Amino acid sequence: MGKAERKKIIIDTDPGIDDAMAIFVALNSPEIEVIGLTTIYGNVYTTLATRNALHLLEVAERSDVPVAEGSHVTIMKGTKLRIADFVHGSDGLGNQNFPPPKGKAIDESAATFLIEKASQFPGEVTVVALGPLTNIALAIENDPEFPKKIGQIVILGGAFCVNGNVNPAAEANIFGDPDAADIVFTCGADILAVGINVTHQVVLTDADYEKLAQSESKLAQYLCKILGIYFSYHREAYAIKGVYLHDPTALLAAVNPSLLTYTEGWFGFKHVA
Ligand SMILES: O=c1[nH]cnc2c1ncn2[C@@H]1O[C@H](CO)[C@@H](O)[C@H]1O
């Protein structure tokens, strides 16, 4: 597939073990071109999310992909953030103490980068949002034309007709910045939400892990190293022998929408059925 035909993707991410999986899937999907990563708090604080994004690109030998650092606070400037280090480890990547990355984030903020790319390629850029929606909401606030210029926003978030994973109502990414979620879901852009009603059906089992461990691929070996803590969390929190593939599922919805079926949401956005 020629470069021009490949769907342009920006991943807004809070790496995060399942974020690492999604980023590796994206970098290895010939259907898409990853034109940048933007970072956000969620699984870790934003500073660490940026460090991990740069580190993951170095592991994948793709330091050519720019990283733009996102917001350190919620859209309402809230600083009391819910950080899911109990799911991903205090370093966000399974407590592996990886060395600091060599590269640096670009000077632009995540919101500015999102606006710039949407303006440069109107209707052609898909944002895959894997954390709280602060950066996307800031892009909408700073450029009212952003919803028209962005091709699609694929959101890993929400719990449609099922309980949340933070409390009976809320899923972690929406809970992380509900005001930002409100701005994004009602902005009029083409929005596709992949909720935990779907991602809880997409499980990497212990047997799948064994298969992955047998692969000689460098990225498979890397993922096996960081996945231990994610498996332990799922065993304790959900009593399952496997892990939920939240972020990779959302990424795949962007790469190949025909893998899933959709239903219409209240403000015209779609979510996976
Ligand atoms: O308490 C939690 N339970 C489950 N997943 C969580 C929790 N906190 C954060 N995540 C993270 O949020 C996304 C899905 O909601 C996933 O990226 C998951 O790793």
Side-chain angles (χ1 to χ4, degrees):
M1 198 177 269
K3 200 170 169 176
E5 302 148 48
R6 288 154 68 191
K7 199 190 262 189
K8 294 180 178 56
I9 300 237
I10 298 174
I11 308 175
D12 189 67
T13 175
D14 54 342
I17 295 167
D18 55 332
D19 298 72
M21 301 176 92
I23 290 168
F24 289 168
V25 170
L27 295 173
N28 284 284
S29 298
E31 300 89 341
I32 63 170
E33 181 195 358
V34 181
I35 61 168
L37 303 183
T38 52
T39 63
I40 191 63
Y41 59 84
N43 295 325
V44 291
Y45 286 100
T46 305
T47 308
L48 188 49
T50 303
R51 175 185 156 133
N52 288 351
L54 290 162
H55 161 75
L56 291 166
L57 289 170
E58 287 176 12
V59 171
E61 297 174 30
R62 286 301 308 276
S63 298
D64 55 300
V65 176
V67 175
E69 181 156 284
S71 183
H72 293 242
V73 297
T74 68
I75 194 89
M76 305 295 271
K77 310 267 184 292
T79 52
K80 205 176 142 216
L81 309 173
R82 177 180 180 276
I83 301 300
D85 50 1
F86 54 92
V87 181
H88 301 269
S90 58
D91 68 349
L93 294 173
N95 289 336
Q96 294 295 311
N97 294 316
F98 293 116
K102 294 187 189 76
K104 279 200 169 33
I106 59 173
D107 282 338
E108 272 172 337
S109 72
T112 304
F113 181 79
L114 286 164
I115 293 168
E116 186 194 289
K117 290 297 167 195
S119 308
Q120 192 181 349
F121 306 108
E124 285 183 42
V125 179
T126 299
V127 183
V128 182
L130 302 177
L133 294 166
T134 320
N135 292 333
I136 329 288
L138 281 170
I140 296 164
E141 277 195 348
N142 295 346
D143 179 2
E145 296 298 306
F146 181 78
K148 285 198 202 99
K149 289 189 284 197
I150 197 70
Q152 189 176 43
I153 306 174
V154 178
I155 295 169
L156 182 260
F160 297 91
C161 308
V162 299
N163 286 345
N165 55 5
V166 175
N167 63 39
E171 179 278 331
N173 288 342
I174 305 299
F175 185 91
D177 194 346
D179 301 292
D182 188 22
I183 292 170
V184 175
F185 273 97
T186 57
C187 77
D190 179 1
I191 290 182
L192 174 61
V194 182
I196 58 171
N197 50 308
V198 175
T199 58
H200 280 189
Q201 299 173 49
V202 188
V203 176
L204 181 89
T205 63
D206 285 7
D208 296 328
Y209 177 92
E210 291 310 323
K211 262 193 238 162
L212 197 64
Q214 263 150 44
S215 165
E216 280 167 18
S217 136
K218 178 183 163 194
L219 298 185
Q221 288 304 321
Y222 177 92
L223 289 177
C224 285
K225 253 201 278 181
I226 65 172
L227 270 164
I229 203 166
Y230 201 48
F231 270 85
S232 314
Y233 174 76
H234 283 74
R235 219 173 292 129
E236 281 155 33
Y238 301 103
I240 60 164
K241 290 185 177 159
V243 295
Y244 295 136
L245 293 174
H246 302 285
D247 295 352
T249 306
L251 200 282
L252 283 176
V255 173
N256 186 352
S258 71
L259 291 172
L260 303 155
T261 54
Y262 305 91
T263 187
E264 190 96 0
W266 296 281
F267 292 99
F269 69 85
K270 284 178 286 185
H271 67 84
V272 179

